[in-house]
Every structure is written in C-alpha cells, then in structure tokens.
Amino acid sequence: MTSETHYERFTSPGEDNKLQSFVHSTRGKIILTTVVLGVVGLVAGLIIRQGVSSSEPRHAQALTGDKVAPQPTSIEPTTWTPSPTTAQLKSHTSSPTSHEPATTSKPSSTTKAPTPAPTPSPIYGKINDNTPGTSGQTTNPKTFPNRGCKLPNYLSENGHLYAQAPNGTKIPIFIKGINWFGMETELNIPFGLWANPDNGTSLYEIVAFLSRHRFNSVRLPLTVDSLIKNTPPNPNVVNAYESPALNLTTYMSAVQSLVVAMGSKGISVLLDIHYLSDTDKGDAWYSVEHPASMTLNAIDILTINLCSDTYWNVIGIDLTNEPWNTTWGDNGAKDFRIGAALLGNRMLANCPSWLAFIEGNAQTHTITINGTVFDYYDWWGGGL
Ligand SMILES: *[C@@H]1O[C@H](CO)[C@@H](O)[C@H](O)[C@H]1NC(C)=O
Ligand SMILES: *[C@@H]1O[C@H](CO)[C@@H](O)[C@H](O)[C@H]1NC(C)=O
Ligand SMILES: *[C@@H]1O[C@H](CO)[C@@H](O)[C@H](O)[C@H]1NC(C)=O
Ligand SMILES: *[C@@H]1O[C@H](CO)[C@@H](O)[C@H](O)[C@H]1NC(C)=O
Ligand SMILES: *[C@@H]1O[C@H](CO)[C@@H](O)[C@H](O)[C@H]1NC(C)=O
C-alpha cells in the first residue's frame, strides 16, 4: 500500500486525481494530508450494472484563449434524467398521495410508502459481483445496528492516520474508500437507491457490498447551499421500501442515516464540501453568491449535527473539493492556505476530534521540450 488514504476510483484513466498537502492549524494540530482520488460516482462502477455513461458526462477540458484550462467538475449532474427509473419505482413504491381521494389536500409526505402486497422476490438491488451476497439477508432493515462506539480523536501524525481512544491508545487507520456522488446534485441524495427490477440498489446492499469487498470509507459530496437550507432529498429517486432506514425528511437526516448505516459495518464517512450549490461549483471556498461566511456556516451545521458518538465513524471534512484558480501562500484573495486554515479551524473549534482534508489548487503549467512549449496541468486537487 503506497498511501494510507486511498479513495478508490472506478473510472477512466483520464479521471481526476488529487494530491496531498499539510496544513497546520493555529491549534497546533496537523490538518490532515491526504490523497483523495477523484471518481465519477460510485454508481458508475458499482450499482448500475448496465452503466451510466449517459447520466454522468464529464466536462471536456475547455479552451480559454490559446490555453487549455481545467474545469472544476468531475460530473455534470444536471443532465440526470430519472424518469424511466422513477416510473418503474412508482409501480411498487406507491406515492402515499395516490391512495388518497383527489379532494384531499392534506400533505402526507412523511407517510411510509405502503408495503407492496406480495413481498418482492427476489430482493431488488443485489449487486452483481459474482458473490452469493451477504448471508442472512431476507429484507432490508428498518434500522442499522449501533455498535456502541465512542467518537475517537482522529489524528494525522507523520503521514499516518490514527484513531485515538480516551486512554491515549492510538490505532492506525488505513483507508480503502469510494466516493458516493449524488448529494451534491439537485437530487440531494446519493445515486442508485432507486432499486427496481432492472437496476438500482438499496442502502443495505451498498453497505454490504462495501463491507464484503473490504472498503472501509465513503466520501460523501455535499453542497454548502443544501446544508444551509437543509434541502430534503428528491424522494422519487429512492425506493423507500427497499431502503427504509434512509431518512429522507431533510438533507441532514439523510446524511445522518447514511452515516449510521455505514457505521454498522465500521465504514467511515468523509464529509465533502463538494460544491457551493448544485449550480455554483465555485473555484475557491467561496464565490460572489456564496461568501465564505456561508461555507463557515455549513461547517458549523456539520459539526453541530454529526460530531458525536452516534456518528463516531465520521472522520472529518474535505474542506473544498478541487480548488482551482486559487493560490497557495501569496496572501491573495484566493489564497487557499488561508482559506483552508479558516475552514479547518472553524471545524476544530466545534469538533477537535475530526480531521480536515485539504486539496491542492489545480493549475496550468508549461514546459519546453526540445524547443516546443507544452501545456500540462496538475491533478484535480493537486498542485501543492
Ligand atoms: C434502469 O432501469 C430502467 C427501468 O427498466 C430503465 O429504463 C433505465 O434505462 C435503466 N437505467 C440504466 C442506467 O440502465
Ligand atoms: C484503551 O482503550 C481502548 C479502547 O477502549 C482499549 O481497547 C484498550 O484496551 C485500552 N488500553 C488500556 C491500556 O487501557
Ligand atoms: C427523520 O429525521 C427527522 C428530522 O431530523 C426526525 O424528526 C425524525 O424523527 C427522523 N425519523 C426517524 C424514523 O428517525
Ligand atoms: C480567477 O480568479 C480571478 C481573481 O479572483 C478572477 O478575476 C478570474 O476571473 C478567475 N478566472 C477564471 C477563469 O474564473
Ligand atoms: C529531443 O531531441 C533529441 C534529438 O533529436 C531526441 O533524441 C530526443 O528524443 C528528443 N526528446 C524528446 C522528449 O522529444
């Protein structure tokens, strides 16, 4: 293993990568350095057997003047069209309103989807990984077992990660992780949970799949805007019957229930401030529409709601996804050395147990080889 922090990638060789850096907070705690390998969503590689290339087109690199400039996004979610899947889904997770008289105006959005008359068989969403699956699965659980863990002090020391118990014992952590995209889009929920007879899966199966393949960490892309507004997920892309433990009431309840589900199998979660909003990717940790105060607010929302023993498996926050057109150490307006310290210290103020993950600025460079000038770029998240 070349790195203790390794978020697995499932996609093409052209996919974005990220480098590592060190930042020291004023508290003297090393803010984590990491390699976060970029991924087109977990769904692309894992969940949907037929592939989702049409749903996750990547930006080509765009020409700006005579140079090729990197684009900030890994995926373009706005083209996602759930209609066929949603139609399938509705056939067995009837909307509560469909059972009410047309004249009834009382909203019943919190009503559980009724159980289909015949128990679905087989269970939808088994990931076709040439294993018999997880033994004992008869249906998807309404709750995931609480392992009774305490939130440890997650540490980064000398290039290694540790979980430290209150008595001082440190256990090294090695990460094999994935990105699970979706919550950073207008759907506000990870992709793939629409289990139907043809594709999609359930929260239980995702957790079971990751566990049986020894993945032990999930990076969860989020947006500042959805955290602040606590935007409820789009329920039409979730088969609530197959994932009853997923709480779709609010953005935060969805995150919390995902974290608990992962924790049941000892899988950690890295909260990723991926975009400022689903339409404002941002080059830095703020933009004109989303000032830094909003990002700080989003960090407070994460620490207030998730820094506790119930969510012991949250290891920290990736403070800004793939900064670009930023600088490092020039004291300018977009100096991410200042930005990372600002965000990281805000997190540590309310949750000293978490780690801050810092990505590097992606820049364009030139090199002259045998008299010819070539452009090249940092990896996404690299450039430190
Ligand atoms: C998933 O299944 C639905 C319903 O059968 C189908 O319309 C859709 O194209 C499938 N999606 C993918 C990505 O295979
Ligand atoms: C310290 O705490 C850990 C976690 O509770 C425990 O496994 C370990 O045995 C303890 N070590 C000592 C020396 O008490
Ligand atoms: C779902 O989340 C909401 C909002 O946090 C909470 O009020 C509700 O109790 C949760 N439901 C369950 C079943 O935990
Ligand atoms: C990069 O940032 C500078 C300073 O904030 C800004 O003027 C410029 O428009 C940005 N460039 C791009 C390509 O967004
Ligand atoms: C540079 O030119 C020399 C001499 O023609 C050649 O041997 C070498 O392979 C060239 N290097 C590159 C990187 O093209």
Side-chain angles (χ1 to χ4, degrees):
M1 181 170 293
T2 56
S3 169
E4 72 281 4
T5 304
H6 182 190
Y7 283 84
E8 191 68 61
R9 54 189 299 186
F10 291 107
T11 48
S12 64
E15 192 47 58
D16 313 333
N17 289 321
K18 295 157 191 178
L19 268 202
Q20 56 188 37
S21 76
F22 287 87
V23 172
H24 296 266
S25 77
T26 55
R27 298 168 67 93
K29 176 170 179 172
I30 293 175
I31 298 182
L32 177 67
T33 170
T34 188
V35 178
V36 181
L37 297 178
V39 172
V40 174
L42 163 66
V43 180
L46 297 182
I47 304 172
I48 302 179
R49 297 188 293 267
Q50 289 95 334
V52 292
S53 56
S54 63
S55 70
E56 293 183 317
R58 291 184 43 75
H59 276 300
Q61 287 175 323
L63 289 168
T64 55
D66 60 346
K67 288 201 172 179
V68 181
Q71 292 294 305
T73 51
S74 298
I75 63 168
E76 181 50 70
T78 54
T79 58
W80 199 88
T81 50
S83 44
T85 310
T86 306
Q88 277 288 335
L89 197 59
K90 279 178 177 162
S91 67
H92 63 94
T93 60
S94 321
S95 158
T97 53
S98 67
H99 293 280
E100 292 177 341
T103 52
T104 302
S105 59
K106 179 172 165 281
S108 55
S109 59
T110 56
T111 307
K112 280 269 191 294
T115 304
T119 300
S121 180
I123 289 173
Y124 296 149
K126 166 67 176 64
I127 294 173
N128 189 10
D129 61 352
N130 295 319
T131 73
T134 299
S135 65
Q137 180 182 2
T138 54
T139 186
N140 291 307
K142 290 191 170 56
T143 60
F144 286 84
N146 182 335
R147 292 159 69 104
C149 294
K150 297 264 181 224
L151 175 65
N153 186 22
Y154 292 106
L155 293 170
S156 171
E157 289 180 353
N158 302 319
H160 295 280
L161 300 182
Y162 299 91
Q164 185 178 43
N167 65 14
T169 302
K170 285 187 230 170
I171 297 166
I173 301 173
F174 300 90
I175 288 177
K176 173 182 168 183
I178 57 97
N179 287 276
W180 192 2
F181 284 96
M183 292 201 79
E184 82 287 11
T185 72
E186 77 279 10
L187 300 175
N188 292 293
I189 196 72
F191 295 135
L193 292 170
W194 51 76
N196 67 35
D198 295 322
N199 54 47
T201 186
S202 67
L203 181 55
Y204 179 90
E205 177 63 0
I206 291 282
V207 174
F209 174 90
L210 293 175
S211 181
R212 65 184 178 255
H213 294 284
R214 298 169 186 262
F215 286 92
N216 66 2
S217 195
V218 170
R219 177 171 172 264
L220 202 57
L222 307 169
T223 72
V224 166
D225 180 70
S226 290
L227 283 166
I228 290 175
K229 294 179 181 159
N230 208 8
T231 315
N234 182 337
N236 295 325
V237 289
V238 177
N239 181 334
Y241 176 80
E242 294 290 345
S243 295
L246 190 58
N247 188 333
L248 299 172
T249 310
T250 65
Y251 198 70
M252 184 50 65
S253 72
V255 172
Q256 288 172 327
S257 53
L258 285 163
V259 169
V260 167
M262 294 300 165
S264 72
K265 292 283 189 187
I267 296 169
S268 69
V269 175
L270 173 58
L271 305 165
D272 163 30
I273 300 187
H274 200 76
Y275 294 144
L276 299 172
S277 76
D278 61 19
T279 54
D280 185 7
K281 278 33 173 180
D283 52 2
W285 64 100
Y286 66 91
S287 70
V288 173
E289 307 88 65
H290 297 91
S293 58
M294 293 181 83
T295 309
L296 291 170
N297 187 6
I299 286 174
D300 288 346
I301 289 165
L302 290 172
T303 53
I304 288 166
N305 288 285
L306 292 161
C307 183
S308 66
D309 291 342
T310 304
Y311 311 105
W312 63 272
N313 52 315
V314 172
I315 53 174
I317 304 177
D318 188 347
L319 300 173
T320 295
N321 177 65
E322 298 178 349
W324 61 283
N325 195 29
T326 53
T327 58
W328 189 263
D330 71 348
N331 294 315
K334 289 185 179 169
D335 182 351
F336 193 46
R337 190 167 73 173
I338 293 172
L342 177 75
L343 304 183
N345 286 331
R346 183 65 161 250
M347 181 197 80
L348 291 173
N350 290 320
C351 194
S353 302
W354 283 359
L355 293 162
F357 288 64
I358 319 294
E359 300 184 32
N361 179 31
Q363 287 177 293
T364 305
H365 304 272
T366 59
I367 187 170
T368 304
I369 301 173
N370 278 1
T372 305
V373 178
F374 296 91
D375 286 342
Y376 70 99
Y377 324 99
D378 296 311
W379 292 348
W380 283 107
L384 284 170

